[in-house]
Amino acid sequence: GEDVEQSLFLSVREGDSSVINCTYTDSSSTYLYWYKQEPGAGLQLLTYIFSNMDMKQDQRLTVLLNKKDKHLSLRIADTQTGDSAIYFCAETPPYSSASKIIFGSGTRLSIRP
Amino acid sequence: EAQVTQNPRYLITVTGKKLTVTCSQNMNHEYMSWYRQDPGLGLRQIYYSMNVEVTDKGDVPEGYKVSRKEKRNFPLILESPSPNQTSLYFCASSAGRGRNEKLFFGSGTQLSVL
């Protein structure tokens, strides 16, 4: 079945770049997402990438997709304290709608001064 | 303001005492869903609804019920809560059935079953 895997923790120094990685198993997934969960809040969609793209950039965020290795990454440039959160990778299987979006376990990003 | 509202934010109860967690969205969304979040397991889908009176099981439906009598509301019902249902619960909604549908999440309900 489908599975999305992420490491649980990442710690970076303020001002450095953060790279959060994710692997997925369904090679036919069409959309892959990054959601952000701030403390005490629900998830918010940060960005998404369509599977025919290799890269998507949006201000400080860069998403890289390696379809051959089924690897998705989120790079946050110039990491700030406000970036402290849990980041979820997610995919939508090809045979279903958003009702079957599959989430990874989340990566908790902490920022060191 | 477009939002998904869950109540209560925190709930402590005892085993076997029926409870309901409410969820309401003001965006006229067709799709609504319930997830539970547990450490190391991410979000797991409990139930979802594609429209009024249309509900379906997610990955972990055991011990839960839902109803969708109105488009805006999607309550989660625990008829006889047990300690393994202690978790953080999220309601979410989206506009429709598109493949790239942004999910809007509520702020969560932290449930503890003693």
Side-chain angles (χ1 to χ4, degrees), chain B residues 4-23:
Chain B
V4 177
T5 304
Q6 291 178 233
N7 279 298
R9 287 295 305 272
Y10 303 93
L11 180 58
I12 301 174
T13 189
V14 295
T15 299
K17 186 175 181 182
K18 180 179 178 180
L19 65 92
T20 299
V21 184
T22 64
C23 175

Side-chain angles (χ1 to χ4, degrees), chain A residues 2 5 10 23 27 30-31 34-35 37 46 59 61 63 66 68 70 76-77 81-82 87 94 96 102-103 105 112:
Chain A
E2 306 87 7
E5 294 190 354
L10 177 66
T23 57
S27 59
T30 307
Y31 287 98
W34 285 104
Y35 278 81
Q37 183 184 26
L46 261 186
Q59 299 182 332
L61 304 178
V63 179
N66 181 330
K68 175 175 167 290
K70 300 178 195 171
I76 306 172
T81 54
Y87 291 82
S96 64
I102 297 167
F103 289 91
S105 55
R112 306 191 302 272

Side-chain angles (χ1 to χ4, degrees), chain A residues 8 29-31 33 35 37 40-45 48 86 88 92-94 96-101 103-106, chain B residues 9 31 35 37 40-43 45 48 50 57-59 88 90 94 96-103 105-107:
Chain A
L8 292 180
S29 289
T30 307
Y31 287 98
Y33 310 83
Y35 278 81
Q37 183 184 26
L43 281 69
Q44 288 187 301
L45 181 64
Y48 67 91
I86 302 175
F88 290 90
T92 305
S96 64
S97 67
S99 64
K100 297 306 288 179
I101 185 170
F103 289 91
S105 55
Chain B
R9 287 295 305 272
Y31 170 78
Y35 296 87
Q37 182 181 11
L41 296 177
L43 270 76
Q45 190 181 52
Y48 66 95
M50 299 302 290
K57 294 178 180 178
D59 299 315
L88 178 59
F90 287 101
S94 74
R97 306 183 184 198
R99 294 292 313 288
N100 179 26
E101 288 286 347
K102 175 180 176 180
L103 281 171
F105 282 82
S107 299

Side-chain angles (χ1 to χ4, degrees), chain B residues 2-80:
Chain B
Q3 59 184 7
V4 177
T5 304
Q6 291 178 233
N7 279 298
R9 287 295 305 272
Y10 303 93
L11 180 58
I12 301 174
T13 189
V14 295
T15 299
K17 186 175 181 182
K18 180 179 178 180
L19 65 92
T20 299
V21 184
T22 64
C23 175
S24 179
Q25 49 90 8
N26 63 359
M27 296 167 279
N28 201 35
H29 282 170
E30 287 191 353
Y31 170 78
M32 297 185 74
S33 183
W34 277 102
Y35 296 87
R36 59 178 288 174
Q37 182 181 11
D38 301 289
L41 296 177
L43 270 76
R44 293 180 293 168
Q45 190 181 52
I46 302 170
Y47 269 95
Y48 66 95
S49 170
M50 299 302 290
N51 214 325
V52 175
E53 302 290 2
V54 180
T55 63
D56 212 342
K57 294 178 180 178
D59 299 315
V60 288
E62 293 77 23
Y64 304 95
K65 283 174 58 176
V66 292
S67 70
R68 188 90 183 271
K69 294 186 171 62
E70 308 161 281
K71 201 170 188 178
R72 63 182 294 127
N73 296 322
F74 191 45
L76 179 69
I77 302 153
L78 284 73
E79 293 272 2
S80 182

Side-chain angles (χ1 to χ4, degrees), chain A residues 17-104:
Chain A
S17 292
S18 306
V19 180
I20 303 170
N21 295 302
C22 168
T23 57
Y24 58 98
T25 56
D26 193 333
S27 59
S28 53
S29 289
T30 307
Y31 287 98
L32 296 122
Y33 310 83
W34 285 104
Y35 278 81
K36 177 183 181 182
Q37 183 184 26
E38 296 183 353
L43 281 69
Q44 288 187 301
L45 181 64
L46 261 186
T47 185
Y48 67 91
I49 189 166
F50 188 56
S51 59
N52 67 353
M53 300 166 65
D54 297 324
M55 185 183 87
K56 182 178 180 181
Q57 187 152 5
D58 183 3
Q59 299 182 332
R60 291 191 299 122
L61 304 178
T62 303
V63 179
L64 294 176
L65 176 60
N66 181 330
K67 286 191 71 175
K68 175 175 167 290
D69 295 336
K70 300 178 195 171
H71 183 265
L72 183 73
S73 68
L74 174 69
R75 178 177 181 269
I76 306 172
D78 186 24
T79 308
Q80 305 297 309
T81 54
D83 295 322
S84 293
I86 302 175
Y87 291 82
F88 290 90
C89 173
E91 64 169 350
T92 305
Y95 50 82
S96 64
S97 67
S99 64
K100 297 306 288 179
I101 185 170
I102 297 167
F103 289 91

